[in-house]
Amino acid sequence: MFLKKILLAGLVFCSFVMYGQDYFPANDGVKSKNENYTVFTNATIHTSPTEIIKNGILVVQDGKVVRVGKSFPVPANAITVDVSGKHIYPSFIDMYTNFGIEKPKRASGGGRGSQYDNTREGYYWNDHIRSEVQGINDFEYSSRDAKAFIEAGFGVVATHQQDGIARGTGALIALNSEGNTAHRVLDQNVAQYFSFDKSNTSRQSYPTSKMGAMSLMRQLHHDLDWYEKGNINTKDLSLEALTRNKTLPQFFEGDDVYDAIRIDGIGDQFGLNYVIVAGGDEYKRMNDIKNLNRTFILPLDFPDAYDVEDPYTAAYIDLNDMRHWNQAPTNPKLFEANGIPFALTTFKLKSPKEFKGQLMKAIKHGLSKEKALAALTTVPAQLLGKSDEIGSLKTGAWANFMITSGELFEAKTKLYEHWIQGQKTVVKNMNTVDIDGTYAMRMAGTSYTLTVKNSTSGKAGFILKNGDDEIKSEGKYANAWVNVTFPGRGNKFVRLAGQVINDRFTGKAVLPNGDEESVSASRVPAKDDKKEKDKKKDDNKAPVIMPMTYPNIAFGFKQQPSQEDILIRNATVWTNEADGILENTDVLIKDGKISKVGKNLSAGRAKVIDGTGKHVTSGIIDEHSHIAAFAINEAGHNSTAEVRMSDVINPDDSDIYRNLAGGVTSIQLLHGSANPIGGQSAVMKLKWGASIDEMLLKDKKFIKFALGENVKQSNWQSFSRFPQTRMGVEQVFVDYFSRAKEYEALKKSGKPYRFDEEMETVVDILNEERYISCHSYVQSEINMLMKVAERFDFKINTFTHILEGYKVADKMAAHGVGGSTFSDWWAYKYEVNDAIPYNAAIMHNAGVVVAINSDDGEMSRRLNQEAGKIVKYGGVSEEDAWKMVTLNPAKLLHLDTQTGSIKVGKDGDVVVWSDHPLSIKARAEQTIIEGTVYFDINRDAQLRKDVKAEKSKLIEMMLAEKKKGLKTQPAKSKEKQRLHCDTTETIH
């Protein structure tokens, strides 16, 4: 054995010589090459996740696998290592790290003003596009950081600069701490990386939102196409790099399930095969994820349980967060079950040391061990195009492998050695004997017990007791010897030294006076520890997982609701048509449409709702809403016509459910008012639990414009962006419309042109293929925009807010523009000082199509009451007031041919009210969209009980986690942010 150790040491020394390149001169000795073999015998060799060789042989030479198999002659010049009873696995690969690359510090500057222009010459116009970056240029190997990866099982990592939207390329690094850069770098440009996060290196404002980042990525690819066709005379080093690296694997980092859908959209539009770095909550929308047909890299940053011992703080934890703790560990299992290809990563963990625990949790929650191994070996190797080099143990591959005590994904399995490029790292000495246990011994007339723990870890723990009293002691276990020092009588130290052989400790104790005493002790048989048994039993129990709902938050459906035929009988029906209000009338909804309106209708197989004493109306439509969104403003430019609210829809927003409970069936999700030309609207139906695509009405094309204080940045002392005055706002419009006409003329000429997402949108406005909803207050600006539109031969569709509309109602009617206003908001800022509650009635009486909107997630669920106020302020009839939240907003959104009234052939979007709909007593009892009941007041009462019961069950489970000594996080209250016109979000 001693000779074998000497030979192995010699092999390692010779391997250092190997690291001099063949063409480098040798001035420190004889130039020679090590050609010895290292042969591992009698191992269970897992050459791949699906191939296992028992009693196998692995031959390694010069850092590579020479041969692997069952039985064959061993080369003569070989050093043989017998690993009987051990397992050999290929090293793991992590494709998504920043190992050895420090993220740049945030650029200085800032303050109230924003930076709108780029800071670099010769690169793309946006500083956050950094595709020219090569991670290898910032790379510095860290043995300390490598150690954590190596001990977690990783032999190779791909590392890149995790900074910016287009991040450039990463390098593939072997974690060979004995080598140097020449040998560690397997590929200096292994993949290209993207994200939605801005770069720290620049304070350039655009994009300030995720929808802006989406638009930037789209325009980037249009510009790349334009550049590659030779239409730009100057060099753009960022675009050059994109072209150079387009054949590499493309990795795109997302934050959540909806980022995955966004990334897929960009990939589909431009034919890009993005591998998506997941957010970890894809389990919420697994069918949508499956339909993307993408490959994913999954982080395992499962949250800790909340500390819920204090019932007051526990009450504030959102059910959504509780469920995420419970359900997130099932994410990998669900990917496997749905046949979605994936790799695993340490990304988002504080340290690779956490990886095994999180992986074991995923396995306990259903991920198969075979798929886990594939996700760490063959899958990443294949995605990187390196299957012949890494990820498996086959001839010619790098000798990257682990030697373990048993099957890799067992809790007690130890990693002994990790070989990378043929270089050995000892994690735990495989020859160290496990001496864990409790030993009874007697020294100097006193009885003791010595308990040894983690003896093979390299940091053994010792607990010495005299009876029940623990004695402070220090000890170590190395080279088969135990040494323990502890205070004896008179606090003078006793030194104990010995070996454990065949469960028996034999050695000596050196007493404080120098006398020596032989010590012999036997291992005490393990007691039948009920706690330990219970722990094992608990560990083997399948975890309890809360059932999914649609959406997967409180008040979601256990099953997606389905369309059904519905007959509402004997109700008071507000038709919004020439028939007016009909008493004791039936409404039949069939195949999602209003089929019949009349008396004594036959139900057939339809579900019957008794409408006696109730009122039935078409669903409320909110023309100006900011619910169900992840962002409202893209404030990075004075025009952001290219951005799309459809890119940031949040279908899991609880305000959707609350709006349904207030009878709202459709909304226009508007961009905010941070700039004169804002972003494209999303017109949608509030189909709770459905996908974004199922909610969107894609043929309805609108855009938000804005006037006044917000767009000229009056209220936050920012002076770096044009316009700064109301006159400047007008010039922005004239400039963009003029440029759009020039753009369209060039496009129609047949000459080459640069596709411009922003100009395409403005051209649509000029051609009245996209319609303006304009945030407005002051009459002078309202007049101004109508005149600008008439100058360019189109009409404004809607003025929203329009609180001075009563001053120019005649001009609005002549122009043909609608007004979407508040019922009685005024004086909440300077330009609203002249607002009056009679505004809606005056505009209505002048012939303007008037709607009452919310601009607020709270008010939107009480729009029926807002409409009621119009009867008081101005004497508008009840029917006309009701139309202001139903038919009139439908007209403004060009939806009136399909919804907004109860008419045969229109969509079955109706509400059953408990009382007169304009009354403060009225409650929506059923809210129906296209024949599907999305809100039912009786179901709601049951759901409130269900939510309480589920939270109680999850709290019990979290308390049990803490009782087991597992890590917890503090209970946190998460206040819901209400989004408005002036809400700005900043992405970093």
Side-chain angles (χ1 to χ4, degrees):
M1 188 68 185
F2 178 73
L3 179 59
K4 186 177 285 185
K5 286 183 178 179
I6 293 242
L7 289 169
L8 277 171
L11 173 62
V12 172
F13 173 78
C14 292
S15 67
F16 293 153
V17 178
M18 173 188 82
Y19 282 116
Q21 298 282 15
D22 289 342
Y23 55 89
F24 282 26
N27 296 301
D28 55 352
V30 177
K31 186 173 182 178
S32 61
K33 186 177 181 181
N34 171 33
E35 294 184 348
N36 287 341
Y37 296 89
T38 306
V39 180
F40 300 86
T41 62
N42 301 316
T44 300
I45 303 175
H46 302 254
T47 59
S48 74
T50 57
E51 297 174 346
I52 302 172
I53 303 171
K54 293 189 176 179
N55 296 317
I57 303 171
L58 174 66
V59 181
V60 173
Q61 183 193 43
D62 200 17
K64 298 284 185 78
V65 174
V66 175
R67 192 172 180 184
V68 61
K70 181 85 171 171
S71 178
F72 51 82
V74 173
N77 56 329
I79 296 164
T80 302
V81 182
D82 184 356
V83 284
S84 297
K86 311 294 190 298
H87 289 244
I88 293 178
Y89 287 87
S91 298
F92 299 160
I93 304 160
D94 192 339
M95 293 190 292
Y96 206 79
T97 80
N98 63 342
F99 170 73
I101 299 178
E102 187 177 348
K103 192 169 183 175
K105 292 178 181 174
R106 190 167 294 281
S108 59
R112 299 296 288 175
S114 298
Q115 175 192 320
Y116 293 102
D117 297 325
N118 61 328
T119 57
R120 307 176 302 164
E121 293 182 357
Y123 298 90
Y124 195 61
W125 63 265
N126 190 280
D127 283 345
H128 307 297
I129 300 300
R130 303 177 59 77
S131 44
E132 71 285 349
V133 168
Q134 291 180 289
I136 190 66
N137 294 334
D138 299 320
F139 176 71
E140 186 173 338
Y141 190 84
S142 166
S143 295
R144 185 192 65 183
D145 293 343
K147 183 175 182 286
F149 277 103
I150 291 166
E151 292 181 356
F154 293 90
V156 174
V157 298
T159 181
H160 71 286
Q161 181 59 267
Q162 292 180 0
D163 178 71
I165 291 174
R167 295 175 162 185
T169 60
L172 190 64
I173 307 296
L175 300 177
N176 175 2
S177 294
E178 301 298 338
N180 57 45
T181 302
H183 295 88
R184 293 180 189 126
V185 179
L186 304 182
D187 193 331
Q188 64 180 4
N189 291 301
V190 72
Q192 187 163 222
Y193 296 83
F194 300 89
S195 79
F196 290 128
D197 296 330
K198 291 160 72 169
S199 172
N200 277 353
T201 63
S202 173
R203 300 193 70 89
Q204 187 172 3
S205 181
Y206 185 83
T208 64
S209 66
K210 198 154 279 186
M211 59 182 157
M214 285 279 289
S215 295
L216 177 58
M217 282 297 297
R218 281 192 284 262
Q219 191 59 55
L220 172 66
H221 288 293
H222 289 309
D223 290 347
L224 178 63
D225 178 66
W226 180 242
Y227 186 82
E228 288 179 339
K229 289 174 179 174
N231 293 305
I232 299 177
N233 295 326
T234 57
K235 284 283 182 189
D236 186 313
L237 297 180
S238 303
L239 296 180
E240 289 275 335
L242 280 175
T243 298
R244 187 167 59 248
N245 299 323
K246 62 170 29 175
T247 59
L248 296 176
Q250 310 285 307
F251 296 156
F252 206 129
E253 178 190 325
D255 291 330
D256 57 29
V257 59
Y258 299 112
D259 270 1
I261 294 169
R262 295 179 188 106
I263 293 163
D264 176 71
I266 296 171
D268 285 348
Q269 182 176 353
F270 297 99
L272 298 165
N273 188 25
Y274 289 128
V275 174
I276 299 173
V277 181
D281 63 346
E282 290 69 26
Y283 62 89
K284 296 177 180 178
R285 296 270 180 177
M286 194 50 69
N287 284 339
D288 293 344
I289 292 297
K290 184 176 182 178
N291 291 335
L292 302 183
N293 292 316
R294 298 276 173 188
T295 299
F296 286 77
I297 301 174
L298 304 185
L300 300 179
D301 58 327
F302 309 135
D304 297 323
Y306 289 96
D307 185 345
V308 290
E309 286 189 328
D310 183 340
Y312 290 101
T313 57
Y316 288 107
I317 307 173
D318 192 277
L319 178 62
N320 186 33
D321 294 329
M322 286 184 161
R323 277 193 188 171
H324 184 57
W325 163 75
N326 176 256
Q327 295 170 340
T330 68
N331 206 43
K333 166 208 166 181
L334 291 173
F335 271 82
E336 179 181 1
N338 283 276
I340 305 168
F342 66 93
L344 298 174
T345 177
T346 60
F347 180 56
K348 294 187 179 180
L349 297 179
K350 290 179 182 176
S351 166
K353 293 176 183 177
E354 299 176 0
F355 182 77
K356 184 177 180 182
Q358 298 291 64
L359 179 60
M360 296 302 289
K361 187 180 284 188
I363 290 170
K364 185 175 181 180
H365 281 74
L367 175 64
S368 73
K369 294 174 183 178
E370 182 181 305
K371 187 61 72 172
L373 183 57
L376 290 162
T377 55
T378 52
V379 173
Q382 181 263 323
L383 290 174
L384 294 168
K386 304 291 182 182
S387 293
D388 290 336
E389 300 177 47
I390 55 177
S392 62
L393 295 173
K394 59 184 177 183
T395 301
W398 284 106
N400 298 341
F401 57 89
M402 298 173 276
I403 302 176
T404 66
S405 62
E407 290 189 12
L408 190 55
F409 301 127
E410 295 294 331
K412 291 190 175 180
T413 295
K414 299 177 179 67
L415 171 57
Y416 288 131
E417 295 178 0
H418 199 160
W419 292 67
I420 301 170
Q421 291 187 313
Q423 298 299 306
K424 178 174 70 172
T425 296
V426 176
V427 179
K428 289 182 176 66
N429 190 332
M430 74 171 94
N431 297 312
T432 298
V433 177
D434 186 338
I435 62 166
D436 286 4
T438 299
Y439 300 83
M441 59 182 67
R442 191 169 178 80
M443 292 176 286
T446 304
S447 295
Y448 298 92
T449 58
L450 177 67
T451 301
V452 186
K453 294 183 175 181
N454 304 317
S455 56
T456 60
S457 68
K459 293 182 179 179
F462 298 88
I463 301 171
L464 185 68
K465 285 186 175 182
N466 174 212
D468 292 330
D469 297 328
E470 185 173 335
I471 301 169
K472 189 175 180 181
S473 59
E474 292 182 0
K476 67 176 182 177
Y477 174 52
N479 301 319
W481 281 87
V482 174
N483 291 274
V484 179
T485 303
F486 63 95
R489 289 174 184 167
N491 280 327
K492 294 183 178 179
F493 288 100
V494 176
R495 291 169 292 158
L496 176 67
Q499 290 182 303
V500 177
I501 301 172
N502 296 328
D503 288 347
R504 189 168 185 78
F505 178 92
T506 306
K508 67 178 181 180
V510 181
L511 304 180
N513 62 5
D515 290 348
E516 294 185 4
E517 182 178 303
S518 294
V519 177
S520 180
S522 297
R523 195 192 311 245
V524 177
K527 289 181 181 178
D528 187 10
D529 191 332
K530 185 176 184 304
K531 281 187 179 178
E532 189 63 28
K533 270 191 168 182
D534 288 346
K535 184 178 181 300
K536 283 182 181 177
K537 188 177 177 182
D538 191 54
D539 287 344
N540 292 329
K541 244 192 237 179
V544 176
I545 306 300
M546 293 294 106
M548 295 284 295
T549 61
Y550 304 93
N552 194 42
I553 64 172
F555 302 99
F557 292 102
K558 291 176 182 175
Q559 292 181 328
Q560 289 276 17
S562 57
Q563 189 181 86
E564 52 191 334
D565 294 345
I566 299 172
L567 177 63
I568 306 168
R569 275 190 170 150
N570 199 35
T572 300
V573 178
W574 296 55
T575 66
N576 282 352
E577 296 288 339
D579 292 335
I581 301 173
L582 304 174
E583 302 287 345
N584 304 317
T585 299
D586 302 346
V587 178
L588 177 63
I589 301 170
K590 191 172 183 179
D591 299 327
K593 300 286 185 180
I594 296 171
S595 175
K596 292 179 182 178
V597 180
K599 295 183 185 294
N600 301 317
L601 298 181
S602 173
R605 296 183 178 179
K607 170 184 174 180
V608 177
I609 297 174
D610 183 4
T612 304
K614 305 182 192 306
H615 292 247
V616 174
T617 71
S618 56
I620 290 173
I621 299 170
D622 191 352
E623 186 276 339
H624 186 140
S625 178
H626 294 306
I627 69 166
F630 289 107
I632 293 300
N633 275 293
E634 172 47 61
H637 289 152
N638 57 19
S639 166
T640 55
E642 73 282 359
V643 306
R644 308 171 186 176
M645 292 305 298
S646 58
D647 284 336
V648 288
I649 289 173
N650 177 7
D652 300 341
D653 184 0
S654 57
D655 276 340
I656 295 175
Y657 184 75
R658 293 188 179 106
N659 272 243
L660 287 165
V664 181
T665 55
S666 300
I667 65 170
Q668 177 177 209
L669 174 54
L670 278 167
H671 187 274
S673 55
N675 27 36
I677 302 177
Q680 302 165 31
S681 307
V683 180
M684 53 195 283
K685 293 196 177 185
L686 301 183
K687 297 179 180 179
W688 182 236
S691 69
I692 293 170
D693 281 347
E694 290 168 326
M695 290 183 177
L696 267 176
L697 299 173
K698 294 183 180 178
D699 60 328
K700 305 305 175 188
K701 298 168 69 175
F702 289 81
I703 188 170
K704 175 74 172 288
F705 273 37
L707 307 169
E709 293 178 13
N710 291 4
V711 300
K712 66 189 185 72
Q713 302 182 309
S714 304
N715 302 319
W716 50 89
Q717 297 297 303
S718 174
F719 306 111
S720 56
R721 190 187 81 179
F722 181 83
Q724 291 287 302
T725 65
R726 296 179 194 268
M727 295 179 292
V729 173
E730 178 178 2
Q731 290 310 305
V732 168
F733 296 139
V734 171
D735 176 61
Y736 271 89
F737 291 142
S738 300
R739 286 167 53 197
K741 289 179 76 71
E742 293 170 4
Y743 175 86
E744 184 180 32
L746 177 61
K747 184 177 178 180
K748 288 180 176 179
S749 72
K751 296 178 182 177
Y753 71 100
R754 170 185 172 265
F755 189 95
D756 188 318
E757 294 256 347
E758 183 181 33
M759 284 294 112
E760 290 283 330
T761 306
V762 182
V763 167
D764 282 348
I765 295 169
L766 294 174
N767 293 331
E768 296 190 288
E769 294 172 357
R770 184 173 296 278
Y771 305 98
I772 294 172
S773 290
C774 185
H775 163 113
S776 56
Y777 289 103
V778 178
Q779 63 169 327
S780 59
E781 290 188 299
I782 297 165
N783 271 326
M784 173 272 290
L785 187 56
M786 288 191 289
K787 289 177 181 177
V788 169
E790 288 164 2
R791 172 178 166 185
F792 286 92
D793 200 26
F794 72 92
K795 291 182 180 179
I796 306 300
N797 189 84
T798 308
F799 282 114
T800 188
H801 303 321
I802 192 69
L803 294 187
E804 289 190 16
Y806 67 94
K807 296 182 181 180
V808 288
D810 55 341
K811 294 179 181 178
M812 290 173 63
H815 182 80
V817 62
S820 182
T821 189
F822 301 130
S823 61
D824 59 354
W825 283 23
W826 61 81
Y828 51 87
K829 60 179 176 177
Y830 185 79
E831 63 184 354
V832 192
N833 278 356
D834 283 0
I836 60 174
Y838 301 92
N839 184 47
I842 292 171
M843 288 193 292
H844 168 73
N845 292 334
V848 176
V849 176
V850 177
I852 301 298
N853 68 60
S854 74
D855 189 20
D856 178 78
E858 177 60 29
M859 183 192 285
S860 57
R861 65 193 187 94
R862 292 179 282 103
L863 279 172
N864 65 312
Q865 297 176 30
E866 297 301 304
K869 294 176 184 178
I870 307 306
V871 179
K872 174 182 178 180
Y873 295 118
V876 174
S877 72
E878 290 184 356
E879 285 187 69
D880 283 343
W882 185 250
K883 287 177 183 177
M884 289 183 183
V885 292
T886 52
L887 184 59
N888 289 2
K891 289 178 179 179
L892 296 179
L893 295 174
H894 302 193
L895 292 171
D896 52 307
T897 59
Q898 64 192 86
T899 190
S901 64
I902 294 182
K903 180 180 179 181
V904 172
K906 285 194 174 185
D907 292 349
D909 300 354
V910 304
V911 182
V912 180
W913 298 90
S914 63
D915 209 319
H916 191 299
L918 296 175
S919 168
I920 59 171
K921 297 178 182 178
R923 292 189 298 172
E925 295 191 346
Q926 286 94 18
T927 303
I928 303 165
I929 301 175
E930 295 173 11
T932 301
V933 180
Y934 284 98
F935 175 80
D936 183 283
I937 200 165
N938 294 322
R939 175 180 173 272
D940 179 77
Q942 181 59 46
L943 284 175
R944 291 171 190 272
K945 296 175 185 176
D946 293 347
V947 167
K948 183 179 179 181
E950 184 178 350
K951 284 191 78 170
S952 296
K953 190 170 184 179
L954 285 165
I955 285 171
E956 285 298 313
M957 293 164 67
M958 290 181 181
L959 288 169
E961 289 274 297
K962 185 172 184 181
K963 191 176 178 183
K964 285 189 268 184
L966 298 176
K967 192 176 174 186
T968 59
Q969 59 175 311
K972 306 186 269 267
S973 171
K974 208 157 62 172
E975 188 174 340
K976 181 176 175 63
Q977 183 187 16
R978 296 289 178 191
L979 305 181
H980 300 96
C981 277
D982 56 354
T983 304
T984 55
E985 300 77 32
T986 300
I987 58 171
H988 298 293

